[in-house]
């Protein structure tokens, strides 16, 4: 079950990011952002080792338990007249999410965050999800009205992503 | 052991731990000064053994941790250096006691100790004691380092002894079991004689010896011992110690492979060591000498494997969390050197989950920040930023009684790079924002809040402005509102400015100009209003043009890219006069935006900006805003940008930093000040502009006049500037040349006005302008036809007819619609007042003030046709004019020497005026120079015009409608034919009878019987010589019934010949013929002077009209005497 799907540009800024629990979207921004370190590391390793092999799938980025540490939300309410600043850090949260990465030949990265409680998901399924995502992304790029580098606002892409999230869950 | 030392690294295993502590009252800064000097002795080479001893100094060490000293000897405090102040000998015993107390704390493990006493002098200080050193003061202690070295050497001796002790203890009867604090109770009651137990003892001791060897600088021995320990401990499944042995092995290998150390710059390693042989793959290059020694050493790969193993063993023990954590940290440092980030991250991952039980908040912060540092070390900047942020949040966790906002803020600032956020707004001006907006916005919010809580609203304002400036496109409408509201809240306490904020740690926060509130799309410098524009005197302009290129036109355009902004603009501004810059702005906010103190930023010229306040509606479209200012000095002014104050934040937005702003140049020349005139007129202002509005006019007046009417226009010019008006010139130009205009349209006399110059500021001068309209309303051709069908011959022969008025009402016969005269005409002209004065005049500048005069001309009277009739006198003729009244009023037409004529509306009447023929030769001849250069056709027109105007002025036809009056001009209707008739013939004949000049209507009296002398005089005014002529005088009698009697031989006789001969008469000469007549009877006689042209030889016929000789009427009377007889 994919909980978050993100497309990241070559220059490592998000082109598209969508997550299922909408109320805590920022969390996934952090999640995907931090996974980029590993993605970059993997890409550079791939570049050195097997430049010819066209393996786009990067595999598991962070193992299951990774999400143990998460500073929860700083709830900022400081615009109210009294200026109360709620800051909650729930000590160590156990988010059981697994992140998978995929990189296209043009260095556009896909990251899928999966709820790791769903054990039924196999590597093959993840791969096929990425493949679908890649195909859909290619379609977006083929749109003559799309400027490479802009955020993706395609409806078709959007519906594909939502289908992927629903279908997998 | 609960507090991990996150700074640990593998090579710390080879160090001995020395604690340096103050005893009694020691000023902190003095202590740290001494501490620093002590720590500089980090490595001591032992004289006789070529070995190095490394020392780790701590000024604070938990005795609890010391208890783990057997487990890993580098955790054991082996040396103590106390620093104390002792003023007098009296205090000495007390101080000494304290030192001993302190020694007892680490007593069990100490090898040696030293006391450094400062301030004590005298007897006691004279003593030579090995464990105490006396110094007179903190400043005078030259041999501290030496002392420390001696101390280290003594430690080494103890260490070496212990090592040898243990190492040779192989055959020993009983090897004691070394154990860690938490193990102690586990071994109670265990069979100490079992083989298993013995092995365990042996293994642990081996490991311990390994540690000692490592500390004593015997790397190879250490490796051997560690290997043996691993073997032994593995066999007895003593996992904790097995892990320690493995870690020892790893440490020794790391020390061998990486003599430069793994801690990076953080630790104070000797620089000489940092240059150790370190190749890319991490193995020392100097292999030849080390092949043998490297046998027991682990390879780089193995080190990691063994670390993993060791950590997994540590993991089995809950109480060994700190050891595990430290091992992880050490492994990560090694991996960072090996540049294996992925594996390092796995170790870190593991470290994250090591549960150390209940950590204090401070420890948490430390832990997160060290994690962040380590992630940074392996190049995971995002992870690093993430943990740093967590640490920052931890600083202000609600459970902390006194939140450390300052620390939080500092840590947050350090995360900026990880989120690729730079607080310099210049980095964002390049294009649309690209980055992790949601995350960055969050971080900025946190920065804002943290800075506010740490009591620095200036910082909050700066961060909020930055947030607004750079993330504006990414904020939702609600967020925009919230952010601006809080910005306003903050600025009420601390207004935001343009100064660079410097944080205590040296970070500089550059100013954030809010160039997006509002967004400026274009900047355009405006020219002064037309009436205030300065112009350069023509003669002075030339040198401006010449410098560029010798060509008037060249297809090659000199492109100077990027210099658009510095391009100089054509027009000029004037010192002291308000000048304007137009900005197209729009408000991107979903609410009304109030911008205050919006002004211009300029350079080059002293400039007084007059700030404006504006209020832009929500999400306005492009909105023009005009900023004004007054240049106070002359020179080139450069408009650099603009200044705003929005939500209490003042910002200076420079155009250089705003590439999206379009501008057509920002440099303008400011010329010295000029006077300023204001114009007011007696006539109402014109509502509609002049039709050919090519040039803009400062003002215009309009008036409605009947054709021929004259109106006075009084113009008042007031000097409203600050300079004296020194020169004033007035010109006018009719801009509608389609209409044929007669006479001067505008006329004035400037003399009086000029005499009042120079005009001081505030004074005014008046000028009276006569507006006179004389237009030709008659349509030309059909008039001529009318003339012909009238049946009046206009050809030359004299017809003596009385003056008559032909009354012919003919208005009925003409349909009004087709009447050419009813149309209303307009006349337009521009009066230009050119004036100058002050400093600007010296530079050759002047100003133009133009006044448009718009006149609607209504037709009054006009002449539908014109013709001439010869008058009775040869020098006169009758001009017949059909006068048409096209107004709706009754009007009266009058002319010179003529009676008034009353015309009803739309009535046409003929009017005959007797006029003397005109001698056009008396008119001034055009200048010879002008003749040469002007078109002959133009010249001809000019001539006609002057002739016509002469006629018109002679006639002086005026009309009068109740209160208006005006003159009617015949100029338009005069055609060539009529003109010819009105012209005096070039040959002028004078007939003198009886001494009296005689003309047709003059009756000359004479007496019968007397000889009447007759004199005919010819004056030649033509260009050529004329003649010779023959003149014959024929007398006749007219019976007034059409019968003329020529048979008068009886009544009249000639004395002499009745024929005169006139010779050739040259131009301007005259010739006189004399004769005489004798009347025999009374009666009325006429003399017809016929002439014959004898100049046939010349072949040129002179026109008959030239021979307009008067017919002479002579009345012969009875001679009174004869009558009496």
């Amino acid at each position: 079950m994919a909980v978050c799907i993100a497309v990241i540009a070559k220059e490592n800024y998000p082109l598209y990011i969508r997550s299922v629990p909408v109320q805590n979207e920022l969390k996934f921004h952090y999640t995907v952002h931090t996974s980029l370190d590993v993605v970059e590391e993997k890409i550079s390793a791939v570049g050195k080792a097997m430049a010819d092999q066209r393996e786009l799938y990067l595999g598991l980025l962070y193992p299951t338990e990774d999400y143990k540490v998460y500073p929860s939300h700083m709830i900022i309410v400081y615009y109210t007249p009294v200026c109360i600043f709620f800051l909650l850090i729930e000590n160590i949260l156990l988010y059981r999410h697994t992140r998978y990465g995929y990189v296209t030949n043009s260095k556009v990265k896909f990251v899928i965050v999966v709820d790791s409680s769903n054990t039924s998901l196999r590597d093959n399924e993840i791969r096929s999800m990425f493949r679908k995502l890649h195909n859909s992304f290619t379609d977006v790029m083929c749109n003559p009205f799309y400027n490479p580098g802009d955020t993706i606002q395609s409806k078709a892409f959007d519906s594909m992503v939502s289908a992927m999230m629903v279908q997998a869950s | 052991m609960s507090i991990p030392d996150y700074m640990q690294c593998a090579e710390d295993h080879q160090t001995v731990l020395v604690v340096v502590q103050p005893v009694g009252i020691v000023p902190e800064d003095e202590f740290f000064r001494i501490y620093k000097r002590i720590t500089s002795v980090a490595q001591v080479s032992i004289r006789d053994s070529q070995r190095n001893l490394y020392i780790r100094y701590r000024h604070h060490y938990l005795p609890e941790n010391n208890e783990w000293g057997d487990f890993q000897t580098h955790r054991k405090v082996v040396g103590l250096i106390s620093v104390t102040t002792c003023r007098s000998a009296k205090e000495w015993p007390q101080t000494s006691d304290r030192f001993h107390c302190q020694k007892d704390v680490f007593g069990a493990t100490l090898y040696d100790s030293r006391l450094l006493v400062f301030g004590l002098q005298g007897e006691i200080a004279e003593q030579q004691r090995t464990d105490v050193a006396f110094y007179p003061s903190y400043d005078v202690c030259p041999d501290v380092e030496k002392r420390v070295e001696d101390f280290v050497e003594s430690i080494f001796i103890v260490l070496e002894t212990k090592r040898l002790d243990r190492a040779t203890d192989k055959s020993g009867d009983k090897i004691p079991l070394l154990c860690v604090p938490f193990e102690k109770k586990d071994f109670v009651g265990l069979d100490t004689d079992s083989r298993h137990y013995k092995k365990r003892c042996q293994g642990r001791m081996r490991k311990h010896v390994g540690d000692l060897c490592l500390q004593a600088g015997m790397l190879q021995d250490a490796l051997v011992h560690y290997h043996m320990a691993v073997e032994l401990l593995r066999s007895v499944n003593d996992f904790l110690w097995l892990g320690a042995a493995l870690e020892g092995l790893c440490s020794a290998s790391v020390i061998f492979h990486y003599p430069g150390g793994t801690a990076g710059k953080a630790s104070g390693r000797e620089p000489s060591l940092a240059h150790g042989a370190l190749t890319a793959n991490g193995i020392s290059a100097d292999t030849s000498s080390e092949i043998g020694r490297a046998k027991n050493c682990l390879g780089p790969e193995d080190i990691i494997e063994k670390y993993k193993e060791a950590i997994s063993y540590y993991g089995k023990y809950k109480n060994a969390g700190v050891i595990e954590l430290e091992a992880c940290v050490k492994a990560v440092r090694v991996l960072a050197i090996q540049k294996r980030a992925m594996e390092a991250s796995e170790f870190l991952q593991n470290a994250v989950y090591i549960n150390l039980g209940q950590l204090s908040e401070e420890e948490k912060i430390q832990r997160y920040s060290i994690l962040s540092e380590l992630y940074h070390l392996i190049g995971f900047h995002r992870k690093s930023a993430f943990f740093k942020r967590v640490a920052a949040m931890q600083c202000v966790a609600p459970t902390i009684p006194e939140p450390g906002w300052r620390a939080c803020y500092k840590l947050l600032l350090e995360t900026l790079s990880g989120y690729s956020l730079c607080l310099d707004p210049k980095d964002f001006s390049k294009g649309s924002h690209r980055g992790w907006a949601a995350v960055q916005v969050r971080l900025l919010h946190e920065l804002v809040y943290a800075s506010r809580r740490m009591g620095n609203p200036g910082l909050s304002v700066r961060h909020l402005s930055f947030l607004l400036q750079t993330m504006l496109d990414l904020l939702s409408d609600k967020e925009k509102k919230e952010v601006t509201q809080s910005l306003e809240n903050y600025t009420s306490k601390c207004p935001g400015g343009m100064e660079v904020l410097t944080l205590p740690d040296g970070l500089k926060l550059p100013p954030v100009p809010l160039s997006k509130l509002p967004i400026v799309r274009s900047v355009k410098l405006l020219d002064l209003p037309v009436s205030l524009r300065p112009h350069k005197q023509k003669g002075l302009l030339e040198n401006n043009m010449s410098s560029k290129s010798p060509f008037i036109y060249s297809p090659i355009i000199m492109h100077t890219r990027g210099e658009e902004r510095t391009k100089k603009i054509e027009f000029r501004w004037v010192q002291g006069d308000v000048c304007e810059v137009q900005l197209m702005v729009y408000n991107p906010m979903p609410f009304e935006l109030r911008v205050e103190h919006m002004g211009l930023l300029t350079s080059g010229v002293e400039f007084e900006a007059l700030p404006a306040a504006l209020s832009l509606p929500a999400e306005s479209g492009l909105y023009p805003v005009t900023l004004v200012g007054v240049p106070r000095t002359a020179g080139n002014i450069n408009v650099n940008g603009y200044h705003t104050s929005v939500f209490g934040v003042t910002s200076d937005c420079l155009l250089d930093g705003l590439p999206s702003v379009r501008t057509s140049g920002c440099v303008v020349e400011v010329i010295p000040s000029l006077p300023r005139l204001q114009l007011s007129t007696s006539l109402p202002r014109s509502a509609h502009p002049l039709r050919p509005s090519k040039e803009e006019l400062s003002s215009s007046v309009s008036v409605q006049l009947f054709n021929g009417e004259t109106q006075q226009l009084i113009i008042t010019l007031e000097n409203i500037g600050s300079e004296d008006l020194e020169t004033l010139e007035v010109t006018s130009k009719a801009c509608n040349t389609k209409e044929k205009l007669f006479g001067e349209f505008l006329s004035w006399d400037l003399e009086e006005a000029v005499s009042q110059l120079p005009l001081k500021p505030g004074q005014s001068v008046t000028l009276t302008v006569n507006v006179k309209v004389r237009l030709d309303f008659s349509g030309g051709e059909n008039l001529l036809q009318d003339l012909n069908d009238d049946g009046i011959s206009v050809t030359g022969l004299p017809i003596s007819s009385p003056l008559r008025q032909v009354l012919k009402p003919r208005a009925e016969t003409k349909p009004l619609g087709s009447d050419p005269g009813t149309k209303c005409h307009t006349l337009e002209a521009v009066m230009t007042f050119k004036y100058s004065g002050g400093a600007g005049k010296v530079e050759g500048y002047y100003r133009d003030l133009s006044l448009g005069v718009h006149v609607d001309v209504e037709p009054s009277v006009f002449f539908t046709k014109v013709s001439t009739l010869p008058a009775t006198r040869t020098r006169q003729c009758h001009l017949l004019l059909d006068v048409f009244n096209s107004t709706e009023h009754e009007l009266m037409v009058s002319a010179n020497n003529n009676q008034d004529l009353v015309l009803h509306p739309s009535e046409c009447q003929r009017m005959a005026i007797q006029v003397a023929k005109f001698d056009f030769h008396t008119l001034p001849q055009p200048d010879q120079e002008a003749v040469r250069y002007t078109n002959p056709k133009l010249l001809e027109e000019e001539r006609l015009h002057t002739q016509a105007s002469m006629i018109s002025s002679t006639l002086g036809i005026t009309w009068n409608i109740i209160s208006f009056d005006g003159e009617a001009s015949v100029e338009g209707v005069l055609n060539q034919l009529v003109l010819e008739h009105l012209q005096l013939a070039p040959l002028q004949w004078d007939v003198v009878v009886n001494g009296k000049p005689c003309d047709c209507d003059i009756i000359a009296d004479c007496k019968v019987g007397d000889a009447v002398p007759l004199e005919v005089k010819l004056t030649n005014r033509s260009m050529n010589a004329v003649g010779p002529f023959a003149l014959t005088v024929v007398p006749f009698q007219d019976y007034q019934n059409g019968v003329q009697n020529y048979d008068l031989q009886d009544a009249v006789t000639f004395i002499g010949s009745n024929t005169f001969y006139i010779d050739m008469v040259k131009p301007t000469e005259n010739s006189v013929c004399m004769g005489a007549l004798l009347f025999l009877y009374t009666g009325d006689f006429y003399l017809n002077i016929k002439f014959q042209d004898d100049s046939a030889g010349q072949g040129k016929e002179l026109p008959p009209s030239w021979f307009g000789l008067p017919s002479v009427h002579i009345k012969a009377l009875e001679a009174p005497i004869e009558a009496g007889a």
Side-chain angles (χ1 to χ4, degrees), chain A residues 12-51:
Chain A
N12 288 330
Y13 62 89
L15 293 176
Y16 180 90
I17 184 157
R18 176 112 183 270
S19 53
V20 162
V22 187
Q23 71 276 12
N24 205 355
E25 205 187 306
L26 189 65
K27 179 186 82 182
F28 287 104
H29 277 269
Y30 277 114
T31 312
V32 179
H33 182 248
T34 48
S35 356
L36 284 179
D37 278 327
V38 184
V39 171
E40 279 201 314
E41 191 60 42
K42 285 203 171 189
I43 291 170
S44 67
V46 165
K48 273 179 232 154
M50 33 176 191

Side-chain angles (χ1 to χ4, degrees), chain B residues 923-1087:
Chain B
L923 287 173
Q925 288 297 314
D927 197 6
Q928 281 303 314
E929 281 292 300
V931 169
R932 202 171 305 157
Y933 296 111
T934 356
N935 188 339
K937 203 172 165 187
L938 274 180
L939 217 63
E940 175 66 17
E941 259 179 39
E942 179 79 7
R943 195 177 58 82
L944 275 177
H945 179 72
T946 44
Q947 291 175 359
S949 65
M950 183 180 166
I951 295 167
S952 199
S953 62
T954 315
L955 290 179
I957 303 171
T958 58
W959 51 261
N960 188 328
I961 309 171
I962 314 157
S963 57
F964 313 103
D965 48 23
E967 41 184 284
S969 164
V970 293
E971 285 175 48
V973 290
L974 294 175
N975 52 5
Q976 187 63 42
L977 204 58
V978 177
L979 272 179
E980 239 165 60
H981 286 289
L982 286 175
Q983 193 177 3
L984 270 181
L987 299 184
Q988 194 176 326
W989 303 92
D990 292 295
V991 180
V992 180
V993 178
N994 218 358
K996 274 167 69 185
C998 203
D999 208 342
C1000 299
D1001 54 341
I1002 294 174
I1003 302 166
D1005 293 338
C1006 63
K1007 292 188 186 95
V1008 173
D1010 280 2
V1012 179
L1014 176 72
E1015 194 183 309
V1016 177
K1017 184 177 165 193
L1018 167 66
T1019 312
N1020 184 7
R1021 290 171 185 249
S1022 73
M1023 296 304 191
N1024 304 312
V1026 289
F1029 303 116
L1031 296 176
T1032 312
V1033 180
V1034 183
F1036 69 95
Q1037 272 189 311
D1038 188 359
Y1039 296 139
Q1040 301 287 356
N1041 56 1
V1043 179
Q1044 289 176 341
N1045 180 17
Y1046 286 90
D1047 192 19
L1048 293 173
Q1049 283 91 344
D1050 305 341
V1052 182
T1053 180
F1054 281 90
I1055 304 170
S1057 170
N1058 69 337
T1059 306
F1060 306 115
Y1061 291 98
I1062 297 173
D1063 262 344
M1064 179 94 85
V1065 182
K1066 289 195 174 123
T1068 71
E1069 282 181 7
N1070 53 32
S1071 159
V1072 183
C1073 321
M1074 304 283 275
L1077 283 164
L1078 183 68
F1079 292 96
L1080 304 176
Y1081 295 96
T1082 59
D1084 278 356
F1085 299 95
Y1086 292 92
L1087 295 182

Side-chain angles (χ1 to χ4, degrees), chain A residues 6 8 11-14 17 26 28-38 40-42 48 60-63 65-76 78-89 91-92 99 148-150, chain B residues 339-342 345 349 352-353 358 364 368 375 378-387 389-390 393-394 396-398 405 418-420 434-439 442-446 448-450 452-453 464 467 482-483 485-486 489-490:
Chain A
I8 290 129
E11 294 85 5
N12 288 330
Y13 62 89
I17 184 157
L26 189 65
F28 287 104
H29 277 269
Y30 277 114
T31 312
V32 179
H33 182 248
T34 48
S35 356
L36 284 179
D37 278 327
V38 184
E40 279 201 314
E41 191 60 42
K42 285 203 171 189
K48 273 179 232 154
L60 195 63
L61 297 180
Y62 277 112
E65 307 84 42
D66 177 62
Y67 257 79
K68 269 193 209 165
V69 170
Y70 196 81
S72 80
H73 8 297
M74 266 170 103
I75 303 163
I76 303 180
Y78 62 94
Y79 300 121
T80 58
V82 269
C83 283
I84 310 163
F85 184 71
F86 288 113
L87 187 122
L88 295 169
I89 296 202
N91 228 344
I92 289 176
R99 302 171 232 181
D150 288 357
Chain B
K339 301 213 186 325
R340 289 156 70 179
M342 281 306 294
S345 84
Q349 209 99 66
V352 168
Y353 306 127
Q358 203 59 44
K364 277 188 202 161
Y368 289 132
Y375 269 118
I378 61 171
F380 280 22
H381 299 290
R382 298 179 185 87
K383 267 278 189 197
S384 164
F386 178 83
F387 279 106
R389 190 178 151 270
V390 175
M393 294 298 103
Q394 201 70 55
V396 292
W405 288 106
Y419 294 111
S420 42
R434 289 187 167 174
W436 289 82
V439 176
R442 175 58 164 242
L443 178 62
L444 284 171
H445 274 308
E446 284 162 1
V448 169
Y449 191 72
R452 196 184 85 84
R453 288 300 297 260
L464 262 182
L467 176 67
E482 284 171 350
V483 168
Q485 263 171 21
S486 54
N489 273 344
Y490 293 156

Side-chain angles (χ1 to χ4, degrees), chain B residues 379-609:
Chain B
F380 280 22
H381 299 290
R382 298 179 185 87
K383 267 278 189 197
S384 164
F386 178 83
F387 279 106
K388 196 144 264 174
R389 190 178 151 270
V390 175
M393 294 298 103
Q394 201 70 55
C395 290
V396 292
T399 47
I400 295 182
E402 275 179 37
W405 288 106
R406 207 165 282 277
C408 170
Y409 180 75
K410 191 173 169 294
L411 286 169
L412 282 175
L413 276 186
E414 285 167 18
T415 65
L416 285 173
S417 63
Y419 294 111
S420 42
L421 199 61
C422 170
L423 289 181
D424 192 345
K426 278 182 195 130
D427 289 8
F428 285 86
S429 59
K430 284 171 189 116
S432 61
H433 177 79
R434 289 187 167 174
W436 289 82
V439 176
Q440 290 173 341
V441 168
R442 175 58 164 242
L443 178 62
L444 284 171
H445 274 308
E446 284 162 1
L447 274 174
V448 169
Y449 191 72
S451 58
R452 196 184 85 84
R453 288 300 297 260
M454 67 188 238
N456 195 337
L459 284 180
S460 322
V461 169
R462 179 58 49 87
H463 289 310
L464 262 182
S465 329
F466 181 81
L467 176 67
L468 262 183
Q469 169 71 16
T470 57
M471 307 285 173
L472 190 67
D473 306 337
L474 307 159
L475 298 176
S476 68
D477 282 0
K478 188 165 160 278
E479 281 173 319
K480 282 179 189 169
K481 206 167 274 181
E482 284 171 350
V483 168
T484 48
Q485 263 171 21
S486 54
L487 182 59
E488 270 177 313
N489 273 344
Y490 293 156
T491 50
S492 63
K493 285 169 223 148
C494 173
M498 285 302 289
E499 68 281 1
V500 175
L501 294 178
T502 308
L503 296 175
D505 56 346
L507 184 73
K508 284 191 166 58
L509 290 182
V512 182
L514 291 174
S515 61
K516 284 189 178 168
L517 293 175
I519 297 175
V520 173
R521 274 276 171 269
S522 71
V523 172
K524 190 180 161 199
L525 276 63
L526 296 185
D527 199 352
L528 291 171
V530 186
S531 60
L532 294 179
R533 269 176 214 168
H535 304 275
K536 189 123 186 161
Q537 299 283 0
K538 278 280 155 52
L540 300 164
L541 200 73
E542 280 158 18
N543 51 1
N544 246 1
M545 315 276 287
S546 57
S547 60
K548 287 254 170 164
S549 159
F551 303 108
I552 295 166
Y553 169 77
S554 161
I556 303 159
I557 304 158
M558 295 297 187
H559 273 299
T560 42
R561 276 175 200 282
E563 289 190 3
E564 285 285 294
R565 278 158 202 276
T566 53
K567 202 176 71 185
K568 208 161 149 184
I569 300 175
E570 290 297 309
F571 55 79
R572 302 179 183 86
W573 283 348
V574 180
Q575 174 191 342
D577 278 358
V578 174
C579 43
E580 298 175 322
V581 173
Q582 192 182 53
L583 284 86
M584 296 304 287
V585 302
Y586 80 85
N587 171 15
M589 300 305 246
F591 46 84
E592 189 178 316
L593 184 69
R594 280 198 311 280
V595 186
E596 278 150 27
H597 301 291
M598 191 156 186
L600 290 172
L601 296 176
T602 58
S603 64
V605 160
E606 211 176 293
F607 188 78
E608 184 189 340

